[in-house]
Amino acid sequence: MGDALLPYGRQSIVEEDIAAVAEVLRGDWLTTGPAVRRFEEDLCALAGGVPAVAVTSGTAALHVAYAAAAIGPGDEVVCAPMTFVATAATAVAQGATVVFADVSPETGNLLPEAAAAAMTARTRVVSAVDYAGHPAPVDELSKVAHDGGALLLEDAAHSIGGTWRGRPVGALADLTTFSFFPTKNLTTAEGGAVATPNPDLARRAAQFRNHGLVRDKARMRFPDEGGWHQEVHEFGLNYRLPDVLCALGSSQLRRLAWFKERRAEIHARYTAGLSDVEGVRTPVTLPGADPMWHLYPLRVLDGRRRALFDHLRAAGIGVQVNYVPVYWHPVFADLGYQRGMCPNAERFYAEELSLPLFPDLSDTDVDRVVELVREFL
């Protein structure tokens, strides 16, 4: 990378990706065309045959999922706080109240017992997050959600391509959301998707991402209006992902296995280089998990995280912290949420430092990061 800042995440684009986009640009469909359907079919195959609806971002995917679940005022959503703000904010946008439940001190993923304690008669969705790419304990969380009459949403922005107990991410929850931002495990520049095995949820998701439009005459209230007629029965938004970006996504999916393999190699190299260092804790992999590592969340102990962050940034290493607990954001504090609600999450945040991790990262750069961490500690 020369003398430039080594980023903590970066897209991997090859000539085949560029050719796939160029082919769409030379064709007749820039949006709502065959490349969208092909990308959704490719995602469906990856998710064990679960249908997918492509949308404009991971945030849009969350919003679409909550809308498909008919979340609204008076409803509650139990949510993990170790995540980007969108996991909770999109539920609030639907009028729901978010109830935060604590996470595992090992993985940062939602604890089933904490989720169970947060459930009430108003809980409609339990939102788990596959933090850093390690799948959440979806079997236990599904039981918690379903026993309370709620749906399980798996925010899999970090984990597409991973598996839990032999089953692929995307086929584990009632609703699964993906993100295809450039730093994620594959990219469409901006983009996301919702996967669900429930046909009604899938129909509602597809409808919401297209303004809520109804074009099926069998469902119209005024089917004889004319051949041009379409209706809106429930409000939706324009969250359509165009063919140009879907073509990039399908091309990227062809390299997903290599992305996963290379990320695992880098992850293992960091762990081999840092596991004997006092003052840090390396990530764990629980039995049954085959993660798609999106982050390398090093835990820096003894209150030295900020000093190590500054040391590495000064050396040109673009480390990051993922994430401040969601309810610490002023927008949630203004709603009455207080610090101290989820002590495991707050301790995890106080120690977490994401080291650079992306497929084109060289072993030499990994070793340089390891050397700088060891030198500091």
Side-chain angles (χ1 to χ4, degrees):
M1 304 293 291
D3 295 328
L5 182 76
L6 183 70
Y8 93 97
R10 190 177 189 279
Q11 69 274 14
S12 176
I13 301 296
V14 296
E15 288 302 318
E16 288 82 359
D17 298 327
I18 297 169
V21 172
E23 182 180 358
V24 171
L25 291 173
R26 294 187 183 101
D28 295 328
W29 293 88
L30 294 186
T31 191
T32 64
V36 177
R37 293 189 293 275
R38 182 168 62 249
F39 184 47
E40 290 178 338
E41 290 167 358
D42 292 342
L43 290 171
C44 176
L46 181 70
V50 173
V53 176
V55 295
T56 52
S57 68
T59 300
L62 288 160
H63 194 186
V64 167
Y66 289 131
I71 295 301
D75 296 331
E76 292 181 355
V77 172
V78 173
C79 187
M82 284 304 300
T83 183
F84 185 61
V85 66
T87 312
T90 46
V92 176
Q94 284 295 104
T97 297
V98 175
V99 180
F100 292 101
D102 215 348
V103 301
S104 162
E106 290 183 303
T107 63
N109 286 335
L110 185 62
L111 278 172
E113 56 266 35
M119 298 278 289
T120 74
R122 294 187 297 276
T123 304
R124 296 286 304 282
V125 172
V126 174
S127 292
V129 177
D130 294 341
Y131 181 82
H134 190 296
V138 287
D139 297 335
E140 294 87 344
L141 289 168
S142 288
K143 185 176 188 310
V144 168
H146 296 165
D147 285 352
L151 298 172
L152 178 65
L153 185 153
E154 183 179 8
D155 181 341
H158 293 181
S159 61
I160 187 170
T163 66
W164 175 251
R165 295 175 179 169
R167 297 172 61 207
V169 170
L172 303 171
D174 300 300
L175 290 154
T176 304
T177 61
F178 299 118
S179 172
F180 308 128
F181 189 73
T183 58
K184 296 302 197 302
N185 297 317
L186 69 98
T187 190
T188 58
E190 289 277 7
V194 180
T196 176
N198 184 307
D200 185 58
L201 291 175
R203 177 189 61 78
R204 289 177 57 83
Q207 190 170 301
F208 186 84
R209 66 101 183 254
N210 191 27
H211 299 284
L213 290 172
V214 174
R215 292 179 170 141
D216 179 2
K217 290 189 69 171
R219 296 179 52 237
M220 286 182 179
R221 295 184 190 175
F222 307 100
D224 299 325
E225 183 68 20
W228 62 86
H229 188 55
Q230 53 191 356
E231 299 176 349
V232 174
H233 297 177
E234 295 180 87
F235 289 117
L237 295 168
N238 178 1
Y239 281 149
R240 299 188 303 263
L241 189 65
D243 281 55
V244 178
L245 302 186
C246 286
L248 175 58
S250 288
S251 179
Q252 289 263 301
L253 277 170
R254 288 193 281 274
R255 290 196 294 143
L256 188 64
W258 178 76
F259 289 161
K260 182 178 182 181
E261 179 183 357
R262 181 57 187 152
R263 284 176 175 275
E265 290 173 353
I266 294 168
H267 195 278
R269 196 175 187 93
Y270 276 134
T271 296
L274 296 171
S275 58
D276 67 335
V277 177
E278 290 188 15
V280 299
R281 185 179 300 144
T282 54
V284 303
T285 301
L286 298 182
D290 179 18
M292 171 56 139
W293 289 114
H294 166 57
L295 302 173
Y296 190 90
L298 186 69
R299 306 280 289 282
V300 186
L301 311 180
D302 305 319
R304 304 186 72 188
R305 191 268 308 273
R306 183 165 185 169
L308 180 56
F309 175 93
D310 292 341
H311 173 74
L312 293 172
R313 281 291 183 99
I317 308 301
V319 287
Q320 187 55 281
V321 172
N322 303 94
Y323 301 92
V324 58
V326 173
Y327 56 84
W328 280 25
H329 288 287
V331 69
F332 280 97
D334 291 346
L335 293 173
Y337 294 84
Q338 297 182 351
R339 298 189 180 201
M341 295 170 53
C342 299
N344 289 347
E346 295 184 17
R347 191 177 308 113
F348 196 103
Y349 159 69
E351 298 173 351
E352 199 277 338
L353 186 67
S354 299
L355 303 183
L357 178 57
F358 52 93
D360 294 331
L361 187 67
S362 70
D363 287 350
T364 300
D365 281 327
V366 174
D367 293 343
R368 177 173 169 239
V369 174
V370 169
E371 181 181 351
L372 286 165
V373 172
R374 295 183 68 93
E375 174 186 282
F376 178 83
L377 293 170

